[in-house]
Amino acid sequence: MTEPVLPLPDLPLMIEDLLVRARQLADAGAHREAIEEILDHVAALREGRG
């Protein structure tokens, strides 16, 4: 018997949401490190590491 397969998260939507958040932080004048952290997470998701 095989284990049930969970549905994969909708990565494009997750990435889009993270990019919107990064833009909002940038527009609000957030520290560069906070924005870079989000962009690193986006890169990890795109590469399958997230």
Side-chain angles (χ1 to χ4, degrees), residues 26-49:
D27 289 346
H31 291 282
R32 181 180 181 103
E33 294 83 15
I35 298 164
E36 287 177 357
E37 195 172 314
I38 291 174
L39 297 178
D40 287 344
H41 190 73
V42 168
L45 288 172
R46 286 182 174 167
E47 295 170 5
R49 299 182 287 122

Side-chain angles (χ1 to χ4, degrees), residues 17-34:
D17 181 56
L18 287 169
L19 293 174
V20 166
R21 290 181 191 194
R23 170 67 90 159
Q24 290 171 340
L25 287 173
D27 289 346
H31 291 282
R32 181 180 181 103
E33 294 83 15

